[in-house]
């Protein structure tokens, strides 16, 4: 990619991804291009496919839960083409790394709303939490703990008592207790990983 | 009998063979029961008594031939009974020291004969015949554990008819079995009374006592050591081959007042062993004392000093038996039958009542949140009765927890005592360990637990067994419980939640750490939780977290430390793990008062605030004050003191006023210009802040410059106006204290008069707590140094309440009151009132007070009274024994007392009659004895007293004879002119006796006098 094109792209992305300055955006674009394998066919959309992205999440940000990683991919992939474009990459990272609380609440809700119906239902919660407890073989119903945990969560977060979490419920609960932001599994990088990523991404290219 | 003997009796060697029966209370009662049975056997069952044993019971007796009388055939070497069996064999045969007995009749006769040796004989008999039934009835009747068929066989044989012998056998067997049951029952009673020690309980107790051992007067023991450093995995330190005998560990205890004690702790209790032999490693395991149920009981028995040093808090020890009785009784009911439920009912009711009463409830604000006794109310008598069965099952663990509970209660008491001591020494306002006096409370059974308890238990389970997501959810949910409630706090602890929460702090996950700290912060309001957190090493981890880059985390950790570090040990732990340096580091944030802070900077300020909170808690220990100073905390605190926010200022000023007990801080507060800010915040809206500011000024204003600074910054007016807020007693105490100290400067007194503070102070002389009174009276005493103020006090009716306070007992108060009354007495008009109220008599009686400070202060106050009273001589004479009392005070060791008494004597001696009386009481030699002193104050008043006392009879000559003259001459070389004046007076009086003149001359009086003339 030539310099001029890069500048232009960076400038336009700078406006949408407001947590990065222009230099940082440039760095991220460059990083994107080092990650993406240049497709042979010029007409195919350039971008990160699901596996590549998941690999980044796993290696760089230490995520382990397959389902959550899929959901994070979906959250990045705004146009649902199963491929993260450079725009989606920069805009996604803006929230992922430096989002305000509001942005992050929105993002997390999107991740947890598995079927995208605007609610996190009991079943979705169960699905996301099902591996969160050490299974006790002695118990009659091994899922009992998980079910109980779901109820506990609902009791805590379902303000309108309709048995599922709306965005309003979720937002209110998180604002009340920030710890609940990632209530159903880690989908944001922790401080150490994100700092390491930023340092690497912005420094490396800054050297150029 | 067989079962009882094999199972219940305590045989010394664990294996079979010829063991010996130990003399333990249990065995003794078993033997006594058996003796009673045998003794009454022949009268109650004459037929069976004649039954001849299959084999004789044979043992070595200690009985002498001579005790056998009629019915026995006594020869040189044998004693035979007249009673014989079918084969003409004697039923009792004694040869040498071996005795053979073949019937119950003979056995019971023998026991009658043996008299007081009964017990020994029975013991010897049973030791030699481990299963007597076999010998009595034959081998078929041996004691078999488990199902016993012998009775059935016998029954069969009886039914087949015939043999009368079998029938008797049957009866005897039945009787013996009855006895056996009876023995088992009574031994059960005994066993259930015993506290079986466990390695953990022993360890607890040892650790506890170690805490209070060491060099010095106030420790309970000089030292306490295990003999072995190696601890087996089961917690025992005894070698395995001794563990078989139930022994847990061996201790060497050195009490203050006796030789080292070598002690064995075994599951049966604590006793003295034979000590170490010459070879270092040899322990003589033999038991040398009675068995005590625990170490403390043992030591109480052995060391008077130990008792003395814990005795003042002893009521816990006395209370303990009540608890035990409760348990004991419960178990007896359990073991015997249910028929006595009524009695049990009474007990439990009584105990429930006592327990609700027993915790010393202090009116600290914390207590309100704890709801201390609610739970015990729930454990009503009926519920406990119905649940007793369940408890019976758990009796062992429960008893243990009860005993450890008492131990920790004792710990609290001991610590409390220590802290009281240090309180007396250091002036530091709040070194008191408010929280360690709370007794340990335990969950009783599990019948009355609220549902929260189970929910919390479940959440703890999820935290334990969940990944970080589940953990965070459970933590958040736990926060929804009312964690200020004691039930929830203790529920978390009881199900092992504290350990888990503290472990979470050691993980990498920030969210878990935050969630855990949020809970710990809340529940650490509870003193028991605080202690447990410290026990689990929570403080060390939290100190480490202070280094974290996450500011929320830092804040929470600091706040939790602030809560936990409310007792000494915790404060020490924080310091020893570098907590003070880190906390001081938190204080470093943006300059206060800068406008337009970024959210970042605001967060920094919040971190600093939390740091200050933690330092405030920590600053209650003297060493921590020093550590804060060395970590550079003072300038940072000074910086934060400029903050406009009360929530920041309160911990900062709190820390400063706490530290102001140290001279270095007082200096720094002055030089770092903190007085200005302290004064400014006296006008804050926040009463707590006002109080800490006033308290800081109180402590600092001993220094003159500081007093002037307070005035310069306009601090006197707010202080004076705060006097009107008389509802908040803590505030009032601090404010009056500050006024007292400030009033030491005359200029300040003038200001206070302008602000009409004196009138307000007089109002505060009645109906105030002692802390306030001490300061109010102190302040009035200082104000009275100005003549104008003495009149003000009189006019607003301050003298009667002051005189009234002379009847108090508080030492500090008495010192101040006497001073104030003395100052008032310098006005004749005031003196009339004092005299009318019999104030002088009250002052005089304070000379009998044990505290030298009070004695001195009272004697000083007596001086102006005598000077200004009408008919002073008559008044003084009217105090029966008063003159003798004051003369005898000349034997005091305290220089201030001596000086004040000399001054009083000077005034008393103005009346000739009184002078005569005190001369009779031997005032002259007592004064002469004091002459060799270097204390100028004493010299001054002594010389005056001598000069006065010369006026009577041959006292001049007596002073010469008691060698008072030569030292007086030397007084003239002192640097104090008042000493010179008084001495010259005295020498003048003494010089009327020629012999004294000679002595003076010999001591070179002329030269020094001439020097003084110039």
């Amino acid at each position: 990619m030539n310099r001029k094109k890069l500048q232009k792209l960076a400038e336009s992305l700078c406006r949408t991804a407001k947590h990065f300055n222009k230099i940082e955006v440039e760095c991220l674009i460059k990083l994107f291009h080092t990650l993406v394998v240049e497709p042979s066919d010029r007409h195919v959309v350039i971008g990160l496919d699901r596996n590549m992205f998941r690999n980044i999440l796993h290696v760089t940000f230490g995520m382990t839960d397959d389902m959550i990683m899929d959901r994070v991919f979906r959250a990045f992939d705004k146009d649902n083409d199963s491929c993260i474009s450079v725009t989606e990459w920069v805009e996604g990272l803006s929230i992922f790394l430096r989002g305000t609380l509001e942005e992050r609440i929105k993002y997390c809700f999107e991740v947890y709303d598995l079927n995208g119906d605007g609610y996190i239902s009991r079943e979705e919660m169960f699905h996301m939490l099902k591996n969160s407890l050490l299974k006790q073989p002695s118990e009659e119903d091994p899922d009992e703990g998980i079910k109980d945990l779901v109820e506990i969560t609902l009791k805590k977060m379902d303000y309108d008592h309709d048995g599922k979490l709306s965005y309003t419920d979720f937002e209110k609960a998180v604002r009340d207790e920030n710890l609940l932001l990632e209530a159903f599994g880690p989908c944001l990088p922790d401080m150490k990983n994100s700092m390491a990523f930023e340092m690497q991404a912005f420094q490396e290219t800054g050297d150029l | 009998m067989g079962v009882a003997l094999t199972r219940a009796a305590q045989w010394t060697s664990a294996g079979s063979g010829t063991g010996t029966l130990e003399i333990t209370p249990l065995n003794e009662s078993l033997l006594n029961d058996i003796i009673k049975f045998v003794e009454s056997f022949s009268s109650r069952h004459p037929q069976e008594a004649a039954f001849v044993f299959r084999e004789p019971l044979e043992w070595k007796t200690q009985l002498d031939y001579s005790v056998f009388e009629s019915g026995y055939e006594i020869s040189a070497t044998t004693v035979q009974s007249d009673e014989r069996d079918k084969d003409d064999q004697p039923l009792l045969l004694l040869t040498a020291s071996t005795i053979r007995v073949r019937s119950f009749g003979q056995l019971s006769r023998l026991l009658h004969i043996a008299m007081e040796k009964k017990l020994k004989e029975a013991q010897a008999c049973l030791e030699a015949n481990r299963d007597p039934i076999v010998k009595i009835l034959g081998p078929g009747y041996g004691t078999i554990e488990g199902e016993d068929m012998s009775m059935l066989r016998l029954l069969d044989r009886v039914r087949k008819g015939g043999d009368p012998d079998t029938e008797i056998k049957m009866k005897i067997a039945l009787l013996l079995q009855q006895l056996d049951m009876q023995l088992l029952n009574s031994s059960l009673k005994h066993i259930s009374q015993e506290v079986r020690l466990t390695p953990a309980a022993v360890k607890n107790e040892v650790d506890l006592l170690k805490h209070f051992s060491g060099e010095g007067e106030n420790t309970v023991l000089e030292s306490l050591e295990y003999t072995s450093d190696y601890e087996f995995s089961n917690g025992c330190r005894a070698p395995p081959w001794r563990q078989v005998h139930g022994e847990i560990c061996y201790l060497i205890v050195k009490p203050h007042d006796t030789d080292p004690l070598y002690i064995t702790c075994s599951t049966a209790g604590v006793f003295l062993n034979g000590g170490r032999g010459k070879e270092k490693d040899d322990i003589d395991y033999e038991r040398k004392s009675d068995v005590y149920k625990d170490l403390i009981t043992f030591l109480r028995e052995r060391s008077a000093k130990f008792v003395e040093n814990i005795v003042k808090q002893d009521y816990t020890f006395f209370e303990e038996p009540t608890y035990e009785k409760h348990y004991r009784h419960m178990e007896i009911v359990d073991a015997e039958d249910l028929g006595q439920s009524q009695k049990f009912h009474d007990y439990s009711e009584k105990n429930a009542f006592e327990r609700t009463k027993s915790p010393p409830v202090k009116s600290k604000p914390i207590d309100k949140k704890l709801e201390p006794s609610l739970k015990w109310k729930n454990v009503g008598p009926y519920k406990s009765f119905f649940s007793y069965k369940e408890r019976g099952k758990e009796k062992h663990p429960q008893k243990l927890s009860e005993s450890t509970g008492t131990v920790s209660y004792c710990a609290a008491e001991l610590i409390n005592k220590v802290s009281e001591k240090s309180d007396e020494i250091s002036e530091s306002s709040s070194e008191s360990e408010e929280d360690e006096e709370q007794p340990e409370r335990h969950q009783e059974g599990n019948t009355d637990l609220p549902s929260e308890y189970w929910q919390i238990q479940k959440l703890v389970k999820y935290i334990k067994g969940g990944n970080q997501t589940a953990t965070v959810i459970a933590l958040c949910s736990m926060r929804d419980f009312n964690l200020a409630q004691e039930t929830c706090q203790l529920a978390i602890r009881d199900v092992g939640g504290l350990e888990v929460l503290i472990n979470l702090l050691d993980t990498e996950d920030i969210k878990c750490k935050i969630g855990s700290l949020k809970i710990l912060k809340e529940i650490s309001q509870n003193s028991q939780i605080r202690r447990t957190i410290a026990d689990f090493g929570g403080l060390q981890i939290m100190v480490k977290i202070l280094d974290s880059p996450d500011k929320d985390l830092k804040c929470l950790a600091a706040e939790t430390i602030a809560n936990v570090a409310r007792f000494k040990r915790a404060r020490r732990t924080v310091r020893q793990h570098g907590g003070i340096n880190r906390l001081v580091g938190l204080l470093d944030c943006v300059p206060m008062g800068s406008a337009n802070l970024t959210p970042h900077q605001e967060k920094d300020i919040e971190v600093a605030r939390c740091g200050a909170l933690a330092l405030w808690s920590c600053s209650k220990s003297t060493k921590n004050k020093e550590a804060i100073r060395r970590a550079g905390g003072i300038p940072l605190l000074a910086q934060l003191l400029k903050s406009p926010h009360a929530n920041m200022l309160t911990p900062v000023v709190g820390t400063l006023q706490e530290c102001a007990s140290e001279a270095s801080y007082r200096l720094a507060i002055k030089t770092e210009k903190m007085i200005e800010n302290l004064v400014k915040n006296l006008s804050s809206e926040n009463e707590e802040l006002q109080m800490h500011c006033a308290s800081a000024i109180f402590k600092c204003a001993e220094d003159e410059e500081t007093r002037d600074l307070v005035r310069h910054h306009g601090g006197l007016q707010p202080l004076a106006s705060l006097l009107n807020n008389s509802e908040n007693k803590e505030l009032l105490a601090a404010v009056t204290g500050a006024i007292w100290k400030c009033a030491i400067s005359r200029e300040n007194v003038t200001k206070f008069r302008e602000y009409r503070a004196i009138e307000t102070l007089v109002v505060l002389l009645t109906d105030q707590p002692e802390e306030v009174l001490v300061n109010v009276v102190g302040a009035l005493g200082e104000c009275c140094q100005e003549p104008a103020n003495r009149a003000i006090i009189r006019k607003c009716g301050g003298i009667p309440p002051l005189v009234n306070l002379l009847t108090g007992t508080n030492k500090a108060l008495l010192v101040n009151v006497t001073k104030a009354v003395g100052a008032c007495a310098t006005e004749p008009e005031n003196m009339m009132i004092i005299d009318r109220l019999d104030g002088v008599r009250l002052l005089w009686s304070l000379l009998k007070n044990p505290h030298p400070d009070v004695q001195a202060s009272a004697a000083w106050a007596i001086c102006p009274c005598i000077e200004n009273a009408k008919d002073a001589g008559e008044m003084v004479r009217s105090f029966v024994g008063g003159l003798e009392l004051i003369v005898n005070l000349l034997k005091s060791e305290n220089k201030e007392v001596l000086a004040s008494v000399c001054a009083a004597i000077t005034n008393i001696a103005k009346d000739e009659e009184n002078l005569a009386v005190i001369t009779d009481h031997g005032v002259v030699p007592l004064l002469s004895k004091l002459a060799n002193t270097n204390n100028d104050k004493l010299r001054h008043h002594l010389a005056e007293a001598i000069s006065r006392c010369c006026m009577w009879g041959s006292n001049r000559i007596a002073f010469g004879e008691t060698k008072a003259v030569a030292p007086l001459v030397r007084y003239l070389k002192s640097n104090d002119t008042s000493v010179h004046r008084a001495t010259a007076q005295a020498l003048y009086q003494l010089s009327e006796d020629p012999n004294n003149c000679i002595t003076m001359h010999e001591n070179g009086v002329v030269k020094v006098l001439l020097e003084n003339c110039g």
Side-chain angles (χ1 to χ4, degrees), chain A residues 129 131-134 136 139 144-145 148-149 152-153 155-156 177-180 182-186 191-192, chain B residues 455 458-459 461-462 465-470 472-474 476-477 479-480 508 510-511 514-515 518 549-550:
Chain A
L129 292 178
N131 293 320
S132 71
L133 283 182
L134 211 65
Q136 235 126 52
E139 275 170 35
E144 200 186 283
D148 191 39
L149 210 53
I152 289 171
T153 319
K155 193 176 149 206
K156 176 121 192 93
E177 172 58 88
N178 289 339
L179 291 179
L180 290 171
E182 294 173 78
F184 305 106
M191 209 203 257
K192 222 166 78 190
Chain B
Q455 284 163 0
K458 202 172 61 183
L459 290 176
K461 201 177 82 189
Y462 294 152
N467 67 6
Q468 46 168 329
T469 308
V472 168
I473 291 175
C476 290
S477 167
R479 292 233 301 139
D480 287 342
E508 283 292 299
I510 283 190
K511 279 180 300 228
I514 289 181
K518 277 180 171 173
D550 189 294

Side-chain angles (χ1 to χ4, degrees), chain A residues 5 29 76 128 136 141 200:
Chain A
K5 209 169 154 194
I29 296 170
F76 269 72
M128 291 184 281
Q136 235 126 52
D141 181 2
Q200 206 192 5

Side-chain angles (χ1 to χ4, degrees), chain B residues 760-876:
Chain B
T760 328
L761 284 172
V762 168
V763 175
L764 293 174
L765 278 175
T766 41
D767 296 331
Q768 297 298 332
E770 257 174 12
E771 305 85 77
V772 177
L773 280 177
V774 171
N775 298 343
V776 169
V777 175
L780 285 175
E782 291 302 335
C783 291
C784 281
Q785 306 301 321
E786 295 269 298
N789 293 338
R790 293 176 209 150
I792 296 180
I793 291 180
R794 180 181 67 245
K795 279 177 197 144
C796 37
I799 292 177
L802 274 177
V803 171
N804 206 16
L805 288 174
L806 285 173
T807 55
T809 50
N810 181 314
K811 176 190 149 204
L813 181 57
L814 284 175
V815 169
N816 285 352
V817 175
T818 44
K819 189 175 179 195
V821 170
C824 286
T826 48
E827 295 281 305
E829 271 184 84
N830 290 355
M831 189 51 223
M832 272 164 58
I833 306 177
I834 296 173
D835 197 9
R836 202 172 56 230
L837 297 166
D838 218 4
V840 187
R841 183 188 300 277
L842 292 173
L843 280 174
W844 211 286
S845 59
L846 287 178
L847 293 175
K848 285 188 261 183
N849 192 289
H851 295 288
D853 294 350
V854 178
Q855 292 172 351
S857 187
W860 286 123
I862 285 171
C863 299
C865 291
I866 298 177
E867 250 172 86
N868 293 303
K870 277 186 196 155
D871 293 330
E874 189 54 43
M875 176 184 75
V876 170

Side-chain angles (χ1 to χ4, degrees), chain A residues 154-169:
Chain A
L154 273 173
K155 193 176 149 206
K156 176 121 192 93
M157 302 177 78
D158 182 18
Y159 284 89
D160 53 13
H161 304 292
D162 58 356
K164 55 191 178 182
L165 295 187
S166 65
Y167 178 70
T168 330
D169 285 334

Side-chain angles (χ1 to χ4, degrees), chain B residues 594-771:
Chain B
S594 39
N596 303 326
L597 294 171
T598 64
H600 251 338
Q601 289 171 320
E602 272 173 26
K603 199 82 218 174
D604 283 339
I605 293 177
E606 175 63 12
V607 171
R609 189 186 74 83
C610 298
L613 270 174
L615 284 177
W616 184 14
S617 291
C618 291
S619 66
K620 288 182 176 95
S621 299
T622 316
K623 279 193 183 159
N624 283 350
K625 293 174 191 172
E626 181 60 18
I628 296 172
R629 195 181 60 80
R630 265 188 279 136
I634 298 178
L636 292 170
L637 286 168
Q639 177 63 31
L640 294 176
L641 193 57
K642 294 179 185 139
S643 158
H645 302 294
N647 67 351
M648 170 66 96
L649 286 166
T650 308
V652 170
V653 180
T655 313
L656 283 172
Q657 72 89 10
E658 205 64 72
C659 293
S661 58
E662 305 293 302
S664 54
Y665 276 87
R666 292 198 290 268
L667 185 68
I669 288 173
K670 186 171 70 182
T671 53
E672 300 258 347
K673 302 191 183 0
M674 290 191 247
I675 295 292
E676 184 181 354
N677 289 300
L678 290 175
V679 165
K680 198 175 91 199
N681 288 311
L682 279 177
S683 314
S684 150
E685 297 279 291
N686 183 312
E687 285 191 2
E688 196 187 358
L689 178 55
Q690 289 177 320
M691 178 189 81
H692 292 310
C693 287
S695 187
I697 293 173
F698 179 16
K699 285 180 184 164
C700 295
E702 295 263 7
D703 174 78
E704 192 177 349
E705 271 179 71
T706 307
R707 292 196 291 267
D708 293 339
L709 281 171
V710 174
R711 185 176 65 250
H712 285 312
H713 292 300
L716 300 179
Q717 185 156 25
L719 282 176
S721 55
L722 278 173
L723 281 181
N724 296 315
N725 182 347
S726 56
E727 286 313 302
N728 184 336
K729 298 301 177 196
E730 282 183 317
L731 175 59
L732 199 57
V735 169
T736 48
I739 290 179
W740 170 20
K741 294 299 174 186
C742 285
I744 298 173
S745 293
R746 294 289 156 255
E747 293 97 322
N748 291 354
V749 174
T750 318
K751 286 277 177 193
F752 282 132
R753 190 168 60 226
E754 271 173 42
Y755 304 134
R756 308 184 68 78
I758 294 160
E759 287 86 339
T760 328
L761 284 172
V762 168
V763 175
L764 293 174
L765 278 175
T766 41
D767 296 331
Q768 297 298 332
E770 257 174 12
E771 305 85 77

